[in-house]
Short mmCIF file of all heavy atoms in Angstrom, two decimals:
data_model
loop_
_atom_site.label_atom_id
_atom_site.label_comp_id
_atom_site.label_asym_id
_atom_site.label_seq_id
_atom_site.Cartn_x
_atom_site.Cartn_y
_atom_site.Cartn_z
N SER A 66 -1.20 26.84 2.10
CA SER A 66 -0.81 27.24 3.45
C SER A 66 -0.05 26.10 4.12
O SER A 66 -0.04 24.96 3.62
CB SER A 66 -2.04 27.63 4.28
OG SER A 66 -2.95 26.55 4.38
N THR A 67 0.59 26.38 5.24
CA THR A 67 1.35 25.36 5.96
C THR A 67 0.43 24.27 6.48
O THR A 67 -0.61 24.55 7.08
CB THR A 67 2.13 25.99 7.12
OG1 THR A 67 3.06 26.94 6.59
CG2 THR A 67 2.87 24.94 7.92
N ALA A 68 0.80 23.02 6.24
CA ALA A 68 0.01 21.87 6.71
C ALA A 68 0.49 21.44 8.09
O ALA A 68 1.69 21.37 8.35
CB ALA A 68 0.12 20.71 5.74
N GLN A 69 -0.47 21.16 8.98
CA GLN A 69 -0.19 20.59 10.28
C GLN A 69 -0.62 19.12 10.24
O GLN A 69 -1.80 18.82 10.04
CB GLN A 69 -0.95 21.34 11.38
CG GLN A 69 -0.57 22.82 11.49
CD GLN A 69 0.86 23.02 11.92
OE1 GLN A 69 1.37 22.32 12.81
NE2 GLN A 69 1.55 23.96 11.28
N VAL A 70 0.34 18.23 10.40
CA VAL A 70 0.13 16.82 10.09
C VAL A 70 0.43 15.94 11.30
O VAL A 70 1.44 16.14 11.99
CB VAL A 70 1.02 16.39 8.90
CG1 VAL A 70 0.78 14.93 8.55
CG2 VAL A 70 0.75 17.27 7.69
N THR A 71 -0.43 14.95 11.54
CA THR A 71 -0.18 13.94 12.55
C THR A 71 -0.06 12.57 11.88
O THR A 71 -0.66 12.33 10.83
CB THR A 71 -1.29 13.89 13.61
OG1 THR A 71 -2.54 13.55 12.97
CG2 THR A 71 -1.43 15.22 14.32
N MET A 72 0.72 11.70 12.49
CA MET A 72 0.87 10.33 12.00
C MET A 72 0.64 9.36 13.15
O MET A 72 1.06 9.61 14.28
CB MET A 72 2.26 10.11 11.41
CG MET A 72 2.57 10.93 10.18
SD MET A 72 4.08 10.37 9.34
CE MET A 72 5.32 10.64 10.61
N LYS A 73 0.00 8.25 12.84
CA LYS A 73 -0.27 7.22 13.84
C LYS A 73 -0.01 5.85 13.20
O LYS A 73 -0.55 5.54 12.15
CB LYS A 73 -1.71 7.32 14.34
CG LYS A 73 -2.04 6.39 15.49
CD LYS A 73 -3.47 6.60 15.99
CE LYS A 73 -3.64 7.92 16.68
NZ LYS A 73 -4.99 8.06 17.29
N SER A 74 0.82 5.07 13.84
CA SER A 74 1.16 3.73 13.37
C SER A 74 0.36 2.69 14.14
O SER A 74 0.29 2.74 15.37
CB SER A 74 2.66 3.47 13.55
OG SER A 74 2.97 2.11 13.34
N TYR A 75 -0.26 1.76 13.40
CA TYR A 75 -1.06 0.70 14.01
C TYR A 75 -0.39 -0.65 13.79
O TYR A 75 0.28 -0.89 12.76
CB TYR A 75 -2.45 0.65 13.39
CG TYR A 75 -3.32 1.85 13.68
CD1 TYR A 75 -3.38 2.91 12.79
CD2 TYR A 75 -4.11 1.91 14.83
CE1 TYR A 75 -4.18 4.02 13.05
CE2 TYR A 75 -4.91 3.01 15.09
CZ TYR A 75 -4.95 4.05 14.20
OH TYR A 75 -5.75 5.15 14.45
N GLY A 76 -0.59 -1.57 14.73
CA GLY A 76 -0.18 -2.94 14.56
C GLY A 76 -1.23 -3.73 13.82
O GLY A 76 -2.32 -3.23 13.50
N THR A 77 -0.93 -4.98 13.53
CA THR A 77 -1.86 -5.81 12.77
C THR A 77 -3.17 -6.05 13.51
O THR A 77 -4.20 -6.30 12.89
CB THR A 77 -1.20 -7.15 12.41
OG1 THR A 77 -0.77 -7.80 13.61
CG2 THR A 77 -0.01 -6.94 11.50
N SER A 78 -3.15 -5.96 14.84
CA SER A 78 -4.37 -6.14 15.63
C SER A 78 -5.09 -4.83 15.90
O SER A 78 -6.06 -4.79 16.67
CB SER A 78 -4.03 -6.81 16.97
OG SER A 78 -3.48 -8.10 16.76
N GLY A 79 -4.62 -3.75 15.29
CA GLY A 79 -5.27 -2.45 15.45
C GLY A 79 -4.77 -1.64 16.62
O GLY A 79 -5.26 -0.52 16.86
N GLN A 80 -3.79 -2.14 17.36
CA GLN A 80 -3.25 -1.40 18.49
C GLN A 80 -2.33 -0.29 17.99
O GLN A 80 -1.67 -0.42 16.96
CB GLN A 80 -2.49 -2.33 19.44
CG GLN A 80 -1.12 -2.81 18.97
CD GLN A 80 -1.16 -4.00 18.03
OE1 GLN A 80 -2.11 -4.22 17.31
NE2 GLN A 80 -0.07 -4.76 18.04
N VAL A 81 -2.29 0.82 18.72
CA VAL A 81 -1.41 1.94 18.36
C VAL A 81 0.01 1.59 18.78
O VAL A 81 0.29 1.34 19.95
CB VAL A 81 -1.87 3.25 19.03
CG1 VAL A 81 -0.88 4.37 18.73
CG2 VAL A 81 -3.26 3.63 18.56
N LEU A 82 0.93 1.58 17.80
CA LEU A 82 2.33 1.28 18.07
C LEU A 82 3.14 2.54 18.34
O LEU A 82 4.07 2.54 19.15
CB LEU A 82 2.94 0.53 16.89
CG LEU A 82 2.33 -0.82 16.53
CD1 LEU A 82 3.01 -1.39 15.29
CD2 LEU A 82 2.42 -1.80 17.68
N GLY A 83 2.81 3.62 17.65
CA GLY A 83 3.55 4.86 17.80
C GLY A 83 2.81 5.99 17.11
O GLY A 83 1.98 5.76 16.22
N GLN A 84 3.09 7.22 17.52
CA GLN A 84 2.45 8.38 16.91
C GLN A 84 3.28 9.62 17.16
O GLN A 84 4.15 9.65 18.03
CB GLN A 84 1.04 8.57 17.46
CG GLN A 84 0.95 8.72 18.96
CD GLN A 84 -0.49 8.71 19.44
OE1 GLN A 84 -1.37 9.31 18.85
NE2 GLN A 84 -0.73 8.00 20.53
N THR A 85 3.02 10.65 16.36
CA THR A 85 3.69 11.92 16.55
C THR A 85 3.23 12.57 17.85
O THR A 85 2.04 12.53 18.18
CB THR A 85 3.41 12.85 15.37
OG1 THR A 85 1.99 12.89 15.13
CG2 THR A 85 4.10 12.37 14.10
N ARG A 86 4.15 13.16 18.59
CA ARG A 86 3.79 13.83 19.84
C ARG A 86 3.22 15.22 19.58
O ARG A 86 2.31 15.68 20.27
CB ARG A 86 5.02 13.93 20.74
CG ARG A 86 5.54 12.58 21.21
CD ARG A 86 6.72 12.75 22.16
NE ARG A 86 7.21 11.47 22.64
CZ ARG A 86 8.22 11.32 23.49
NH1 ARG A 86 8.85 12.40 23.94
NH2 ARG A 86 8.60 10.12 23.87
N GLU A 87 3.77 15.90 18.58
CA GLU A 87 3.30 17.22 18.18
C GLU A 87 3.05 17.20 16.68
O GLU A 87 3.69 16.43 15.94
CB GLU A 87 4.34 18.30 18.53
CG GLU A 87 4.68 18.40 20.01
CD GLU A 87 3.54 18.97 20.83
OE1 GLU A 87 2.65 19.62 20.23
OE2 GLU A 87 3.52 18.75 22.06
N PRO A 88 2.11 18.02 16.18
CA PRO A 88 1.89 18.06 14.73
C PRO A 88 3.15 18.46 13.97
O PRO A 88 3.95 19.28 14.44
CB PRO A 88 0.79 19.12 14.58
CG PRO A 88 0.10 19.15 15.90
CD PRO A 88 1.17 18.87 16.92
#
Side-chain angles (χ1 to χ4, degrees):
S66 59
T67 298
Q69 299 295 318
V70 181
T71 61
M72 295 192 298
K73 186 177 291 186
S74 169
Y75 293 94
T77 56
S78 298
Q80 74 278 27
V81 176
L82 299 177
Q84 57 188 318
T85 50
R86 295 183 179 181
E87 300 290 340

